[in-house]
Amino acid sequence: MASPTWRLVSLALCLGALAVFQAARGADAARAFFVFGDSLVDNGNNNYLITAARADSPPYGIDTPDHRATGRFSNGKNVPDIISEHLGAEPVLPYLSPELDGHKMLVGANFASAGVGILNDTGIQFANIIHIAKQLRSFEQYQKRLSALIGAEATSRLVRGALVLITLGGNDFVNNYYLVPYSARSREFSLPDYVSYVLSEYAHILEHLYDLGARRVLVQGVGPIGCVPAELALHSLDGTCDPELQRAADMYSPRLMALLQDLNARHGGDVFVGVNMKRIHDDFIDDPKAYGFATATEACCGQGRFNGMGLCTMVSSLCADRDSYVFWDAFHPTERANRLIVQQFMSGSVEYIAPMNLSTVLAIDLQKQQLRT
């Protein structure tokens, strides 16, 4: 006869399995969210790595409810967090978080790692980061783990019905091609040839995502990399954006959108949705006061010219009103800027997001789901 203790353990295991099963049944109605990319979307994976590319110390996170640094390169929430709000879901956990288990996996996962790029040699100065190829391998491992919980068929449905965000490319310029004068890549390629090479590699990454089941992928383009405070500190006397870095962004952005059109034509649907991050940021930079910002050149947290030198730390100069700054640190937007960016995700014209905005995507996908059920 089973002991009372064993019966209690068995009951707990059964209740746990039932909870996961019920959550799995609800997963068809809820929409999972998966995030890949760099520091613009990393929400804490690098906290678990020995690397210089991390944001787990104050004043990062100063405007979170508990004022705690979370690993997000922001004073508060980043773009994935705000998209999760629009999905009506809790923020996805970093893949390396020990909390990502059981029913938490049904929400999705964030695989992003600060410092990475499209190319494997981007970000090597940060030593220990999760390059995009490894992020995709982790996505495969995630699916195996989830299959063990809810079965392969339910996992496949969850992944195919998920929203995916990928943000890559900026580091391939600022932390590779233009990292130092006469970098290895700049000696190997002219800028037009480098853009072609980077995009050809990106095509393989996006195809791999498709092969892993992704069917709705938001692809963030490169922002105005010549206008971030770090580059202004190095190259600008008066806050004017660096023309060479801007030339790279101007060259890259339309060619990325053309690549996504080609991939969609190949797969017979609007799988890939391109977000023109340069166009979105240009609005803030051209007329910051129109969006309620006091400055689009100086970082809130930093030191030196434009507060763009070095890292944001406890000894940095820190602005009092984060909402009046476009940039939180030398490279990354404030939470308020991120919220305005996501507004363009949700309702922007094709000038900002194409072939349709995220509100349209969500409405179409909900209608398809209702027809299936």
Side-chain angles (χ1 to χ4, degrees):
M1 183 175 178
S3 69
T5 301
W6 175 245
R7 285 199 297 271
L8 287 173
V9 171
S10 298
L11 177 62
L13 290 171
C14 289
L15 289 174
L18 178 62
V20 171
F21 175 72
Q22 289 174 333
R25 291 183 63 188
D28 288 335
R31 184 160 207 177
F33 184 33
F34 299 108
V35 182
F36 302 87
D38 57 26
S39 59
L40 290 168
V41 292
D42 184 356
N43 69 344
N45 279 307
N46 279 23
N47 291 359
Y48 301 93
L49 307 174
I50 301 172
T51 177
R54 50 198 295 158
D56 57 345
S57 299
Y60 285 98
I62 191 171
D63 294 314
T64 59
D66 58 3
H67 312 293
R68 184 175 63 89
T70 61
R72 292 163 173 82
F73 287 76
S74 173
N75 59 304
K77 294 184 176 182
N78 62 11
V79 163
D81 296 325
I82 300 162
I83 290 175
S84 290
E85 289 179 3
H86 285 278
L87 295 176
E90 60 189 274
V92 292
L93 289 169
Y95 183 69
L96 295 183
S97 170
E99 296 177 31
L100 185 68
D101 203 6
H103 73 279
K104 291 281 188 182
M105 296 183 68
L106 301 171
V107 180
N110 186 317
F111 301 89
S113 176
V116 305
I118 294 165
L119 306 181
N120 283 332
D121 61 313
T122 292
I124 55 173
Q125 67 272 30
F126 300 120
N128 190 19
I129 53 179
I130 310 168
H131 293 288
I132 188 61
K134 189 172 181 181
Q135 291 183 32
L136 296 178
R137 287 197 297 273
S138 295
F139 189 33
E140 293 181 72
Q141 293 166 3
Y142 161 89
Q143 294 188 41
K144 290 176 183 176
R145 289 173 58 194
L146 190 58
S147 293
L149 283 173
I150 65 174
E153 186 177 339
T155 297
S156 178
R157 285 200 304 272
L158 182 143
V159 171
R160 292 174 71 90
L163 182 69
V164 176
L165 172 68
I166 185 166
T167 303
L168 292 169
N171 283 326
D172 293 290
F173 293 100
V174 299
N175 279 316
N176 193 331
Y177 194 82
Y178 292 111
L179 179 61
V180 293
Y182 310 110
S183 67
R185 287 298 191 183
S186 66
R187 292 196 305 272
E188 182 182 6
F189 292 104
S190 67
L191 180 60
D193 288 343
Y194 184 69
V195 169
S196 296
Y197 174 60
V198 167
L199 288 172
S200 69
E201 293 298 304
Y202 207 0
H204 296 313
I205 292 165
L206 296 174
E207 287 283 19
H208 194 176
L209 258 182
Y210 184 89
D211 291 342
L212 291 174
R215 292 298 181 269
R216 280 294 195 194
V217 184
L218 298 173
V219 184
Q220 280 193 226
V222 167
I225 51 179
C227 304
V228 298
E231 300 303 332
L232 296 182
L234 291 173
H235 304 296
S236 179
L237 295 176
D238 58 359
T240 303
C241 302
D242 178 68
E244 177 60 19
L245 284 161
Q246 289 296 88
R247 184 170 78 96
D250 286 335
M251 193 178 298
Y252 178 89
S253 297
R255 294 189 58 184
L256 173 63
M257 301 301 279
L259 168 64
L260 300 182
Q261 287 180 343
D262 290 344
L263 291 174
N264 284 336
R266 186 179 310 165
H267 294 295
D270 296 323
V271 175
F272 300 101
V273 177
V275 184
N276 190 335
M277 293 301 292
K278 185 173 183 302
R279 181 66 185 83
I280 294 173
H281 267 286
D282 280 348
D283 287 347
F284 306 153
I285 289 163
D286 292 344
D287 191 0
K289 288 183 173 54
Y291 296 87
F293 295 114
T295 176
T297 55
E298 186 173 338
C300 171
C301 181
Q303 45 274 318
R305 302 180 66 249
F306 303 103
N307 245 11
M309 302 295 288
L311 302 173
C312 171
T313 70
M314 286 291 288
V315 298
S316 296
S317 170
L318 179 66
C319 70
D321 181 10
R322 271 74 71 181
D323 285 351
S324 65
Y325 284 68
V326 171
F327 289 100
W328 158 247
D329 64 11
F331 289 100
H332 307 95
T334 57
E335 177 179 328
R336 182 164 178 272
N338 281 329
R339 288 192 175 279
L340 292 174
I341 289 165
V342 175
Q343 278 185 19
Q344 293 291 14
F345 274 61
M346 297 304 300
S347 57
S349 67
V350 291
E351 188 179 357
Y352 297 92
I353 179 168
M356 67 188 89
N357 61 40
L358 184 52
S359 293
T360 304
V361 166
L362 297 178
I364 289 172
D365 291 351
L366 178 60
Q367 185 178 43
K368 286 180 180 177
Q369 182 186 25
Q370 291 171 340
L371 288 173
R372 283 196 299 268
T373 56

